[in-house]
Amino acid sequence: MSPFPLPLDHGHLQKLVTADLVRPDHLLGAHPVTQDGVEGVRFAVWAPNAQQVSVVGDFNGWNGLDHPMERLDFGFWGAFVPEAQHGQRYKFRVTGVDGRTVDKMDPYGTFTEVRPNTASIIWRQPFEWTDDEWMASRTPGFDRPMSIYEVHVGSWARRDDGWFLNYRDLAHRLADYVTYMGYTHVELLGVMEHPFDGSWGYQVTGYYAPTSRLGAPEDFAYLVNHLHERGIGVLLDWVPGHFPTDEAGLAHFDGSPLYEYADPRKGYHFDWNTYIFDYGRNEVVMFLIGSALKWVQDFHVDGLRVDAVASMLYLDFSRTEWIPNIHGGRENLEAIAFLKRLNEVVHHMAPGVTMVAEESTAFPGVTSPTPFGLGFDYKWAMGWMNDTLHYFELDPVYRKYEHHKLTFFNVYRTTEKYVLAISHDEVVHGKKSLVSKMPGDWYMQRAGYRAFLAMMWTTPGKKLLFMGQEFAQGTEWNEAQELPWSVTDIPEHRGVMNLVRRLNALYAERPDLHVGDTWAEGQLWVIGDDSDNSVYAYVRRDPRPTAEGGGTWSLTVANLTPVYREGYHVGVPQGGEYRMLLSTDDGEYGGFGTQQPDLTARQEGWNGQTHHLRLNLPPMSVLILDHVGETPRSEER
């Protein structure tokens, strides 16, 4: 292992420009060092087209003449500043090829001033980790339960004065709540430093820095460490697809396009007013891969959800003018190569880390191994999300015409490894909260929403639900306010929270609901064609051999109209007694509490099965049943 920081010599700089140095932050940025017996800070930056670069900060009164940087090989600049020390602010004063002089944040800075200020801060504060046991056992967990609570750290909860919680305060409150609710993971957005609150953290200026809104880097480390100690995995949203145009950031860093593609037809997102990274430059690719490794290695993060992958894969994404690749196609071959390299390096350098793609197209092999696939562990099931929400937003009168929306996922669900994600994107910008999407009066909205949740938790795939939706938040999410926690004291909202707790518990406890998430044999449809009644039924099962602990199964039955159906026949593969694991109509969850007078299977076959149950299906509800045991043949009816 090379000493830290790495020396600014020809060999190490060459490794960076040839894409052989996966942690460029060990070379560039601000590093406290002792040089010739003198303590100070070594600064280094990449700006190949700059005419001049100086480091300015608290240590020299922001005077650009005091500490000019030396031009090194391959377009890098370096300087040693004896006066600089921990906690002081600094920037790089760059006179670009265009003749303009601009003060720039350190691309590799690990701590930043609180917005709207943008100076980087010299920072190296040690943190004593106590999560060794967790780190040694982390895994993508394809056959394990993964129920993810997506959290915007700036608005989940706030202090009484309206300011952000410190990461340490957030750690305890969030861990207590996530444990209570039964989630296995949290996914944090808005963590990486960003100048504009309204971007939710998706326009990043500090790819190596936790946002200072909630504290220092060691405070963020405390958050991750504490969640690990409580048995909770931590994923982060990570944005390698684009970056903001803010002058203090990466944009035109040395007076010319450097981190971004030069041609706006390839390098500018008109929808988002952001620049697109130039994946054809080794220094840019290593900057991004080093950022990923910073989070999963130094901050012990368990995985990254890579944002907007579709926008990276396709050169014509959301644009009318675009530049074809060398084969005349629409795929960004450089971005594809970057994503493959990213996943290879992360999985090699941080075994057990989970890489998730937010990818909305039918691009093949997103979760297939490299070199033929992109190498992600999971992909968000955007098609499932769109179809399911479309169905549940319909007036029940019209659902029979869209019956296939809830069965189509079964056609392709094993082509990738999926996360069923209901994220922040579905509850903003006029889309309404999830419960408000449901048709009907307040009771029917809640009944429909409870049914939606139960179907989500019993459909193959890992789960993700955005904060506030677990208690049926009635308003859209607003990043400037904390969640309306007071409504959880209202029985109608508390009932939905109780349901999510119960679904998480069942999902974690029962192998049939999670082991087969990525297996074709994990789900068997029993009723998928009763469009007239909008009734669905399917078996979830643990597809492993019985000798390996497999064989358990459960039955899910959904009645998705506001019509009570008495004695509805549902085929089952075994005779005997059944028990109700969950009914979304239970009074505990805000329903009527419809009773089932008989849960003994009849010997007569139905729906292609050997036996059947006669169930009372409450309006707009989902039932989950478990096979208890066989009835003696002489007692079968």
Side-chain angles (χ1 to χ4, degrees):
M1 179 66 69
S2 299
F4 183 79
L6 298 172
L8 289 171
D9 56 26
H10 178 90
H12 286 95
L13 295 173
Q14 185 177 48
K15 283 187 175 182
L16 178 50
V17 300
T18 56
D20 291 324
L21 184 64
V22 297
R23 287 299 302 266
D25 56 316
H26 290 178
L27 186 69
L28 305 180
H31 296 286
V33 296
T34 300
Q35 186 168 305
D36 298 327
V38 178
E39 292 185 357
V41 175
R42 192 195 74 188
F43 297 91
V45 67
W46 178 54
N49 301 307
Q51 298 183 41
Q52 182 177 337
V53 182
S54 299
V55 59
V56 296
D58 294 334
F59 40 80
N60 61 15
W62 298 86
N63 183 345
L65 300 177
D66 284 359
H67 296 102
M69 301 183 77
E70 177 187 0
R71 184 186 289 272
L72 306 172
D73 296 332
F74 309 112
F76 296 94
W77 300 74
F80 174 70
V81 180
E83 298 88 349
Q85 55 187 291
H86 172 85
Q88 291 182 322
R89 300 171 301 155
Y90 71 98
K91 284 188 176 182
F92 295 117
R93 182 160 294 170
V94 180
T95 301
V97 67
D98 58 358
R100 296 180 64 239
T101 299
V102 180
D103 285 356
K104 291 287 192 176
M105 302 168 62
D106 184 355
Y108 291 91
T110 57
F111 193 27
T112 305
E113 285 185 289
V114 177
R115 57 93 177 100
N117 297 321
T118 58
S120 302
I121 301 175
I122 302 165
W123 204 263
R124 184 183 288 181
Q125 191 74 9
F127 180 80
E128 187 174 344
W129 293 91
T130 58
D131 63 347
D132 290 352
E133 184 176 350
W134 174 275
M135 294 292 287
S137 62
R138 62 182 181 177
T139 170
F142 300 118
D143 60 352
R144 297 185 185 183
M146 180 181 284
S147 181
I148 305 165
Y149 186 48
E150 188 187 28
V151 176
H152 177 257
V153 295
S155 61
W156 184 75
R158 293 202 173 187
R159 297 186 331 199
D160 292 340
D161 63 2
W163 189 250
F164 305 99
L165 293 178
N166 183 275
Y167 289 116
R168 294 174 186 260
D169 297 326
L170 177 65
H172 292 270
R173 292 177 61 173
L174 185 58
D176 288 345
Y177 183 70
V178 169
T179 301
Y180 172 77
M181 291 300 298
Y183 291 100
T184 64
H185 292 71
V186 296
E187 181 175 315
L188 306 178
L189 60 99
V191 164
M192 299 175 196
E193 194 58 83
H194 55 285
F196 177 47
D197 291 10
S199 77
W200 312 332
Y202 289 105
Q203 295 196 9
V204 178
T205 50
Y207 277 84
Y208 288 75
T211 178
S212 56
R213 293 167 175 83
L214 283 78
E218 66 271 20
D219 298 324
F220 176 74
Y222 181 94
L223 167 65
V224 176
N225 189 72
H226 184 72
L227 289 169
H228 284 173
E229 287 183 328
R230 298 289 295 274
I232 301 163
V234 181
L235 310 177
L236 295 190
D237 279 13
W238 186 63
V239 191
H242 60 117
F243 60 91
T245 59
D246 296 58
E247 187 173 65
L250 297 175
H252 286 72
F253 192 83
D254 60 2
S256 65
L258 184 65
Y259 286 87
E260 65 271 40
Y261 285 113
D263 193 317
R265 292 174 297 172
K266 193 174 181 181
Y268 180 71
H269 269 307
F270 291 91
D271 291 349
W272 303 331
N273 186 31
T274 54
Y275 289 123
I276 300 169
F277 283 105
D278 183 348
Y279 307 106
R281 302 194 73 149
N282 287 338
E283 298 90 341
V284 174
V285 168
M286 291 299 97
F287 168 79
L288 290 170
I289 288 178
S291 167
L293 290 176
K294 172 77 175 181
W295 297 102
V296 301
Q297 289 185 316
D298 295 5
F299 284 118
H300 290 201
V301 167
D302 301 299
L304 301 173
R305 174 270 202 182
V306 181
D307 181 66
V309 170
S311 74
M312 302 170 64
L313 294 175
Y314 294 105
L315 296 164
D316 63 346
F317 179 88
S318 192
R319 63 176 70 240
T320 55
E321 291 188 61
W322 53 283
I323 305 172
N325 63 35
I326 58 174
H327 305 298
R330 55 195 285 257
E331 296 81 12
N332 188 332
L333 303 179
E334 295 165 342
I336 292 169
F338 159 69
L339 290 170
K340 291 181 178 183
R341 178 80 189 280
L342 165 73
N343 287 317
E344 288 172 349
V345 171
V346 169
H347 285 127
H348 176 71
M349 300 293 290
V353 160
T354 302
M355 298 295 288
V356 183
E358 186 217 11
E359 205 284 309
S360 56
T361 75
F363 189 91
V366 173
T367 59
S368 297
T370 59
F372 302 107
L374 295 184
F376 285 96
D377 298 296
Y378 294 102
K379 167 181 171 172
W380 274 17
M382 308 295 280
W384 167 87
M385 178 271 295
N386 286 320
D387 286 346
T388 305
L389 288 181
H390 172 82
Y391 180 91
F392 273 91
E393 289 181 66
L394 289 171
D395 186 305
V397 171
Y398 303 109
R399 288 180 176 175
K400 65 181 179 180
Y401 304 112
E402 300 286 348
H403 193 77
H404 63 284
K405 291 289 187 182
L406 297 192
T407 58
F408 184 62
F409 182 53
N410 195 61
V411 174
Y412 64 89
R413 67 174 177 81
T414 57
T415 60
E416 303 278 6
K417 298 179 179 68
Y418 284 107
V419 174
L420 309 184
I422 300 295
S423 74
H424 61 281
D425 280 330
E426 313 318 317
V427 294
V428 290
H429 299 326
K431 295 179 182 178
K432 302 185 286 189
S433 69
L434 288 182
V435 71
S436 299
K437 295 177 190 288
M438 305 295 153
D441 60 19
W442 177 227
Y443 179 84
M444 289 308 300
Q445 283 183 314
R446 288 183 291 115
Y449 184 43
R450 293 194 303 268
F452 166 83
L453 290 169
M455 291 200 75
M456 175 178 172
W457 255 257
T458 54
T459 295
K462 308 310 179 185
K463 323 300 175 190
L464 179 144
L465 189 65
F466 183 58
M467 65 182 195
Q469 309 316 302
E470 77 278 10
F471 56 75
Q473 178 178 343
T475 55
E476 284 191 343
W477 168 55
N478 182 346
E479 85 283 344
Q481 301 173 357
E482 77 167 14
L483 294 181
W485 290 106
S486 60
V487 304
T488 61
D489 294 327
I490 301 173
E492 291 92 338
H493 294 274
R494 174 63 68 169
V496 175
M497 178 183 281
N498 290 339
L499 175 65
V500 174
R501 287 188 69 204
R502 178 60 177 153
L503 287 170
N504 274 332
L506 283 175
Y507 177 60
E509 294 165 2
R510 295 191 59 87
D512 49 292
L513 293 180
H514 64 256
V515 171
D517 275 341
T518 60
W519 297 50
E521 301 85 355
Q523 182 183 39
L524 169 69
W525 278 90
V526 177
I527 302 174
D529 57 358
D530 189 0
S531 57
D532 287 340
N533 293 312
S534 297
V535 171
Y536 302 82
Y538 48 86
V539 167
R540 288 298 310 278
R541 57 188 178 188
D542 179 352
R544 297 174 300 178
T546 305
E548 297 177 11
T552 60
W553 61 275
S554 58
L555 174 71
T556 298
V557 184
N559 174 26
L560 301 181
T561 61
V563 178
Y564 175 72
R565 306 191 187 281
E566 184 175 4
Y568 186 93
H569 288 40
V570 179
V572 289
Q574 288 180 271
E577 301 297 320
Y578 287 73
R579 66 182 175 118
M580 190 67 61
L581 292 173
L582 181 146
S583 168
T584 62
D585 185 59
D586 280 354
E588 179 185 2
Y589 311 131
F592 284 124
T594 302
Q595 298 298 305
Q596 300 293 333
D598 184 12
L599 288 176
T600 302
R602 271 81 170 166
Q603 192 171 10
E604 182 184 3
W606 212 271
N607 304 127
Q609 307 300 308
T610 58
H611 295 70
H612 75 274
L613 292 167
R614 297 179 184 176
L615 300 172
N616 295 336
L617 304 185
M620 206 68 73
S621 65
V622 171
L623 311 177
I624 307 176
L625 299 98
D626 180 32
H627 181 245
V628 178
E630 299 288 346
T631 300
R633 185 170 297 275
S634 61
E635 297 180 19
E636 287 192 354
R637 288 167 285 181

